[in-house]
């Protein structure tokens, strides 16, 4: 059911323990000091502190040359030669490269996410950085959360998969042993409860997501931080998870939450995160007067030294293998691939997409289609726009702005006088076009109503002029608006896709790429009405699913059904599995996502799809943090979204539950690590 606990390599244990024994109290405290504002690292006072071995690393250092100089001082001019961390948030130093987190979640593709993060890590390392303050493990309530774009949607299980993929990509071991990145897994779950009875289920799922993400993502080199978590439920969930991670034989990596506790005990007054800018003098004083135990400080330092060992920072330069060769030009950029896999086809009535090759006259409407910064969340002007993408593919088109220009406005909400003429011109052009592609950015600040008045009037005019209107939405939130009293026939939600946004959108529009993304949330109105369900998303094929079959094995449940492509072209579908406990203390009203499979089928072809529900899918954490399968009745749902499923029920007898638990013994989840030595 679970993996063997991590046992660090003997040479790593000996190295760390020998070094720890040789360190002075001041030098130990120094290994918990991350100095902020790397641009000030030339300050003589800070350089003197570094030479005394009282600095563990710098945050936001300036440039690879400066980080190299500082690293040389740490290795060659300090008593113990302990190398430095250089930390930053990739979203700040490399903004707009990849889709926003909620777009990554829409891909439902942890492998593509890992590949894109690994490529990003190469850029990060080239800047001399080796510690990434990323990612945040977060879910969100679509209607109320302001952090929607930075979340992974509504499912804690999906968030777990995507966050683990990001960490695996950032921390991927390269041929150059020193060229690795330490990832920092933070968590910011939503603790709001929408309906009575959901609280315990949501808490169990969030607790599971924290621990399982750590298990999947090489936790010997992950830092966990609870900064910013002030809400009672989240704090309790986080504290329970941290308690389990701290146990003997558990999590082996840096726990920034422990640094925060040491900061509080030492009287550190922080303007920002509590783990930044700790004082050596205050830490030493706190140990000497008993506020901090010597073993408590040693444990925090032990984790730091182990992480630096795992990153290969202690390796002499002559032992470092050559850097990996540059990526061949004929290989697709992983960021481009992830962008294509993060675009959701919400509606496609009448088969408006893909566009007919070289056929109909295409009219593109909306200044957002030319906006390169909007495509990457306003972070990069060199991202490709939708117009760039169409031109790169040689797709003939005409363009009209549709709305008047607004100086410096990122949100187009209310109508202005000049809009009426622009909308009129767009309507006339739409009447003469074969198909209209309207590209819109954010139009409202209110969740559930992403379109503003001006954009709504524009769409009403375009649809009245030409029913063959395709809506492409950029900006963070998707929408499914009623225009003229009914939904638009064709909607493609792109969101914030990063540098390759326009190319990826154009490939989906033209059919050169197959839409494969699915909603990681439900699209709702402001009143809470579900417009499109969690897991919804269309492809260019048309699929049906046969009856659900459930079978009981010796230590698992098998769920299967036949998937068939009844459309006229090849398509890619993603089958989703949901699970609900019907009785016992873990019973719930809602089913939770527990698996998905993606498959492409030619027209007329079918295949039998089978899911194995072993302990990993059925177990939950009990009050003692034991990962345990319980006998009882379960409901299994298999389908294309939460609203399009085949449903079956099955009883799990005690002997099978015992087999899943390992001869009847509930086991505590071992949190493996990854010593990359």
């Amino acid at each position: 059911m679970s993996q063997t606990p991590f046992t660090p390599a003997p040479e790593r244990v000996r190295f760390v323990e020998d070094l720890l024994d040789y360190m002075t109290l001041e030098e130990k405290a120094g290994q918990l000091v991350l100095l902020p504002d790397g641009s000030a690292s030339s300050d003589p006072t800070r350089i003197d502190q570094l030479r005394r071995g009282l600095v563990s690393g710098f945050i936001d250092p300036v440039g690879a040359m400066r980080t190299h100089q500082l690293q040389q001082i740490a290795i060659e001019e300090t008593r113990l030669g302990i190398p430095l961390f250089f930390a930053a948030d990739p979203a700040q130093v490399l903004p707009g490269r990849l889709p926003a987190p909620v777009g990554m979640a829409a891909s439902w593709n942890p492998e593509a996410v890992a590949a894109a993060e690994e490529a990003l890590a190469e850029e990060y390392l080239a800047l001399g950085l080796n510690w990434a303050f990323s990612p945040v493990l977060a879910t969100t309530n679509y209607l109320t959360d302001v952090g929607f774009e930075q979340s992974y949607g509504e499912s804690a299980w999906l968030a777990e998969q995507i966050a683990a993929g990001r960490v695996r990509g950032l921390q991927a071991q390269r041929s150059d042993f020193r060229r690795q990145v330490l990832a920092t897994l933070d968590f910011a779950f939503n603790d709001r409860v929408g309906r009575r009875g959901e609280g315990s289920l949501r808490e169990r799922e969030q607790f599971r997501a924290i621990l399982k993400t750590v298990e999947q993502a090489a936790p010997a080199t992950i830092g966990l931080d609870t900064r910013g978590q002030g809400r009672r439920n989240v704090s309790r969930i986080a504290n329970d998870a941290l308690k389990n991670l701290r146990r003997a034989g558990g999590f082996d990596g840096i726990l920034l939450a422990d640094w925060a506790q040491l900061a509080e005990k030492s009287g550190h007054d922080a303007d920002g995160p509590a783990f930044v800018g700790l004082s050596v003098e205050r830490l030493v004083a706190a140990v000497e007067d008993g506020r901090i135990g010597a073993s408590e400080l040693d444990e925090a330092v032990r984790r730091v030294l182990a992480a630096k060992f795992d990153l290969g920072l202690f390796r002499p330069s002559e032992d470092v293998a050559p850097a990996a060769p540059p990526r061949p030009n004929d290989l697709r950029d992983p960021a481009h691939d992830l962008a294509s896999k993060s675009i959701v086809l919400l509606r496609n009535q009448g088969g408006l997409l893909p566009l007919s090759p070289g056929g109909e006259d295409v009219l593109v409407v909306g200044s957002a289609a030319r906006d390169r910064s909007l495509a990457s969340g306003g972070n990069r002007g060199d991202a490709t726009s939708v117009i760039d993408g169409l031109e790169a593919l040689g797709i003939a088109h005409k363009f009209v702005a549709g709305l008047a220009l607004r100086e410096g406005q990122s949100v187009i909400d209310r109508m202005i006088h000049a809009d009426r003429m622009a909308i009129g011109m767009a309507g006339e052009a739409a009447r003469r076009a074969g198909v209209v592609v309207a590209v819109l950015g954010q139009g409202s600040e209110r969740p559930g109503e992403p379109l503003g008045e001006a954009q709504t009037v524009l769409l009403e005019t375009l649809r009245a002029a030409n029913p063959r209107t395709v809506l492409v939405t950029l900006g963070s939130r998707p929408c499914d608006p009623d225009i003229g009293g009914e939904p638009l026939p064709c909607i493609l939600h792109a969101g914030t896709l990063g540098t390759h946004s326009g190319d990826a959108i154009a490939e989906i529009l033209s059919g050169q790429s197959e839409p494969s993304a699915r909603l990681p949330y439900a699209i709702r109105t402001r009143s809470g009405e579900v417009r499109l369900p969690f897991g919804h998303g269309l492809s260019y094929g048309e699929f049906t699913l046969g009856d659900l079959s459930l079978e009981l094995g010796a230590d698992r449940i098998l769920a299967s059904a036949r998937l068939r492509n009844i459309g006229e072209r090849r398509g890619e579908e993603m089958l989703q599995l949901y699970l609900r406990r019907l009785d016992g203390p873990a019973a719930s009203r809602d089913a939770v996502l527990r698996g998905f499979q993606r498959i492409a089928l030619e027209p007329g072809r079918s295949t039998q799809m089978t899911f194995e529900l072993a302990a990993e899918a059925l177990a939950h954490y009990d009050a003692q943090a034991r990962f345990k399968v319980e006998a009882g009745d379960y409901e299994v749902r298999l389908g294309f979204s939460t609203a399009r499923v085949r449903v079956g029920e099955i009883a799990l007898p005690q002997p099978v539950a015992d087999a899943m638990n390992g001869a009847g013994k509930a086991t505590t989840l071992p949190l493996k690590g990854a010593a990359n030595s």
Side-chain angles (χ1 to χ4, degrees), residues 265 283-294 296:
K265 291 180 179 180
L283 286 170
V284 169
V287 173
E288 291 176 340
D289 65 19
R291 284 174 289 152
I292 295 175
E296 185 179 4

Side-chain angles (χ1 to χ4, degrees), residues 204 207 211 240-241 243-245 247 585 620-628 630 666-670:
R204 289 198 307 270
F207 184 77
L211 297 186
D240 287 347
K243 187 185 301 182
N244 197 52
L245 294 173
R247 63 178 172 75
H620 70 279
Y621 287 97
D622 64 13
Q624 289 73 44
R626 295 177 302 176
F627 198 54
K628 182 179 179 182
E630 294 182 346
T667 57
T668 302
L669 175 70

Side-chain angles (χ1 to χ4, degrees), residues 441-472:
Q442 200 77 10
S444 173
E445 300 287 1
R446 295 178 295 185
E449 295 182 7
L451 291 182
E453 176 193 19
Q455 293 177 332
T456 300
V457 173
L458 172 61
L459 287 177
E460 288 172 346
T461 302
L462 294 175
R463 181 167 188 176
N466 191 331
R468 293 175 57 78
T469 296
V470 175
L471 172 62
V472 177

Side-chain angles (χ1 to χ4, degrees), residues 544-555:
T544 61
L545 188 65
D547 291 338
L548 172 63
S549 172
L550 297 177
E551 298 179 24
L552 190 63
D555 61 352

